[in-house]
């Protein structure tokens, strides 16, 4: 049985996601598709627009066989943590043959070349990166500059314009991190990159293959109830019919960062005296900047814009604020990293005809598969259980704010379709 793995957010699931699943299944003659999907929070430092169970159901209805939740420390982490956390799960399943991903630049050899530079930090790269950071560049900008300088010296047929485009493309950056994680974690999984098609990553224009950002912008404009009622008209041809139906019938609110504004303000004021450096990614400078601007907080997104600087991009600030709000600490991440990125497989949704996958994983995998939350205490190690509990608490906050009808995930039945 040939099985492919996909790491995704499906926020929400659209035609581009279906294209990726269908193309990879066809190209690789795959029997099964396993998805590791962000839960209720996504990598750019924001809540998912609709809950994880609704998104997982869409994925299974449209080609996935098994959807596993990516825990909160990884789903809401940097590209590096996002990739390493997800790859640790795929590796632990013991049955994944290929890791498939979309990329603006699907040449895996070029991506490996860059991933090796980032991992090994040769002198030119390291010096230019350090200088860029000292000069006030953001980390992504400094790293792109350092990579360009290194590639000039080492890459055959170097094309500066091509590499500059490559290093500014979000899906490609994630792809590079996947390769770094695979190199270190599991060489038995083969990477397979597919040319990303459709609208640019951040485009808010729609089309037959839009960006998820464009769909979210459309859904969040105007009154949610009106948008839901008109979803079949607004999103026709943009999303698969099943996804449109999930939007139209969704019981909760469409979520955005500003829904957390009051909670964020409370948490920041409560801990002002001690600062926020215990939280993941929050440096002393960021903590001081938050404190000095606390009197001007006026909503989550507005506060992010206020804190943003030349070397602190919006997504970095947003992740930091979410880490503070959800108690995601540097110390706990350190322990998960030392544990080789603590992993377990919490099943969100399963295709009934693919239940044999769970047997294959049980026979070949090295991590526990959690079908029912009530089995967590006896199946998980203390670190795995803590990571699960932190993920569940974050989702409980999400469910409460979104009014989606989920009072406790322990009371939910397994989603088998």
């Amino acid at each position: 049985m040939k099985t492919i793995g996909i790491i995704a957010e499906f926020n929400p699931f659209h035609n581009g996601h279906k294209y990726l699943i269908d193309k990879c299944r066809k190209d690789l003659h795959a029997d099964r598709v396993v998805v590791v999907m962000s839960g209720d929070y996504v990598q750019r430092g924001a809540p998912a627009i609709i809950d994880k169970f609704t998104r997982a159901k869409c994925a299974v209805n449209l080609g996935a066989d098994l959807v596993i939740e990516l825990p909160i420390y990884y789903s809401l982490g940097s590209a590096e943590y996002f990739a390493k956390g997800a790859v640790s799960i795929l590796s632990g399943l013991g049955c994944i043959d290929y890791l498939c991903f979309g990329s603006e630049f699907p040449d895996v050899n070029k991506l490996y070349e860059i991933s090796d530079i980032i991992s090994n930090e040769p002198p030119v790269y390291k010096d230019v990166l350090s200088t860029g950071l000292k000069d006030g560049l953001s980390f992504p900008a400094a790293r792109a500059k350092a990579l360009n300088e290194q590639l000039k010296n080492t890459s055959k047929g170097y094309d500066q314009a091509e590499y500059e485009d490559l290093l500014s493309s979000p899906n490609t950056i994630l792809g590079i991190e996947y390769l770094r994680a695979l190199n270190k974690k599991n060489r038995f999984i083969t990477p397979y990159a597919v040319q990303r098609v459709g609208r640019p990553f951040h485009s808010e224009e729609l089309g037959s293959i839009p960006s998820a950002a464009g769909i979210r912008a459309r859904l969040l404009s105007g009154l949610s109830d009106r948008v839901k009622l008109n979803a079949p008209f607004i999103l026709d041809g943009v999303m698969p019919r099943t996804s449109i139906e999930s939007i139209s019938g969704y019981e909760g609110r469409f979520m955005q960062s500003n829904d957390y504004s009051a909670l964020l303000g409370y948490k920041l004021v409560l801990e002002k005296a001690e600062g926020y450096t215990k939280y993941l990614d929050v440096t002393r400078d960021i903590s001081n900047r938050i404190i000095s601007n606390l009197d001007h907080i006026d909503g989550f997104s507005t506060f992010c814009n206020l804190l943003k600087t030349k070397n602190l991009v919006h997504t970095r600030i947003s992740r930091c604020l979410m880490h503070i709000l959800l108690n995601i600490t540097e110390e706990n991440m350190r322990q998960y990293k030392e544990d080789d990125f603590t992993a377990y497989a919490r099943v969100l949704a399963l295709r009934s005809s693919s239940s044999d996958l769970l047997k294959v994983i049980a026979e070949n995998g090295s991590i526990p598969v959690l079908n029912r939350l009530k089995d967590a205490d006896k199946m998980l190690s203390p670190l795995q259980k803590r990571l699960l509990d932190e993920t569940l608490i974050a989702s409980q906050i999400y469910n409460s704010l979104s009014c989606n009808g989920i009072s406790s995930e322990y009371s939910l039945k397994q989603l088998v379709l």
Side-chain angles (χ1 to χ4, degrees), residues 320-348:
C320 287
L321 295 179
M322 274 294 178
H323 292 164
I324 295 169
L325 179 58
L326 299 175
N327 280 335
I328 297 177
T329 68
E330 192 79 43
E331 172 60 21
N332 283 3
M333 178 60 95
R334 181 190 65 78
Q335 293 180 34
Y336 298 141
K337 287 169 63 178
E338 290 180 353
D339 188 47
D340 207 8
F341 285 88
T342 299
Y344 58 84
R346 195 250 172 127
V347 176
L348 292 180

Side-chain angles (χ1 to χ4, degrees), residues 196-209:
R196 188 183 185 277
V197 296
R199 298 291 184 184
F201 185 82
H202 294 296
S203 173
E204 293 191 358
E205 296 181 11
L206 299 183
S208 61
I209 300 183

Side-chain angles (χ1 to χ4, degrees), residues 212-227:
I215 296 175
R216 290 194 301 271
R218 183 63 60 91
L219 293 176
L220 291 170
S221 64
L223 298 174
S224 295
D225 289 341
R226 177 174 58 80
V227 173

Side-chain angles (χ1 to χ4, degrees), residues 347-366:
V347 176
L348 292 180
L350 172 69
R351 185 187 300 276
S352 59
S353 59
S354 304
S355 58
D356 58 331
L357 250 178
L358 297 182
K359 182 179 180 181
V360 172
I361 294 170
E363 292 173 350
N364 299 284
S366 58

Side-chain angles (χ1 to χ4, degrees), residues 77-88:
S78 65
E80 178 184 359
Y81 292 159
F82 181 90
K84 287 182 176 177
V87 168
S88 72

Side-chain angles (χ1 to χ4, degrees), residues 37-248:
M37 188 190 78
S38 297
D40 290 318
Y41 298 86
V42 295
Q43 198 261 330
R44 62 191 176 88
I49 193 166
I50 54 178
D51 71 65
K52 60 193 176 188
F53 297 105
T54 303
R55 288 159 34 239
K57 182 178 179 181
C58 286
V60 169
N61 281 332
L62 292 161
D65 295 283
L66 174 66
V67 180
I68 295 168
E69 180 177 16
L70 183 62
I72 186 69
Y73 269 70
Y74 312 137
S75 74
L76 200 52
S78 65
E80 178 184 359
Y81 292 159
F82 181 90
K84 287 182 176 177
V87 168
S88 72
I89 295 174
L90 290 174
S91 298
L93 298 179
C95 67
I96 304 299
D97 299 295
Y98 293 90
L99 169 56
C100 301
F101 58 93
S103 174
E104 294 87 350
F105 294 83
D107 186 333
V108 171
N109 290 328
K110 285 186 178 179
L111 301 187
Y112 259 128
E113 182 181 19
I114 294 171
S115 73
D116 288 342
I117 292 171
I118 294 173
S119 296
N120 298 325
E121 294 191 326
V124 171
Y125 169 83
K126 193 171 184 178
D127 290 346
V128 176
L129 176 64
S130 177
T131 301
L133 293 174
K134 288 178 182 177
D135 290 343
L137 294 179
S138 68
F139 181 79
R143 185 169 72 173
K145 184 176 181 180
L147 283 166
N148 257 317
E149 290 301 316
Q150 181 66 43
L151 289 164
K152 284 180 185 178
N153 297 328
T154 59
S155 180
K156 295 180 180 179
Y158 172 75
D159 182 331
Q160 181 170 343
E162 180 185 29
Y163 275 97
E164 285 179 350
D165 286 344
L166 188 156
L167 297 171
S168 63
S169 303
N171 288 289
T172 300
I173 295 299
L174 269 179
I176 291 168
E177 293 297 340
Y178 295 154
L179 297 185
R180 289 183 67 203
L182 284 177
N183 252 339
K184 187 174 181 180
K185 184 73 181 176
N186 192 326
R187 288 188 177 272
F188 298 101
I189 298 177
T190 302
Y192 185 74
V194 171
Q195 176 69 56
R196 188 183 185 277
V197 296
R199 298 291 184 184
F201 185 82
H202 294 296
S203 173
E204 293 191 358
E205 296 181 11
L206 299 183
S208 61
I209 300 183
S211 71
I215 296 175
R216 290 194 301 271
R218 183 63 60 91
L219 293 176
L220 291 170
S221 64
L223 298 174
S224 295
D225 289 341
R226 177 174 58 80
V227 173
K228 287 179 186 178
L229 290 173
N230 289 299
F233 172 74
I234 294 171
L235 301 173
D236 187 39
V238 172
M239 301 171 71
R241 178 57 52 179
T242 300
S243 293
I244 294 175
E245 291 172 355
S246 72
I247 294 292
S248 301

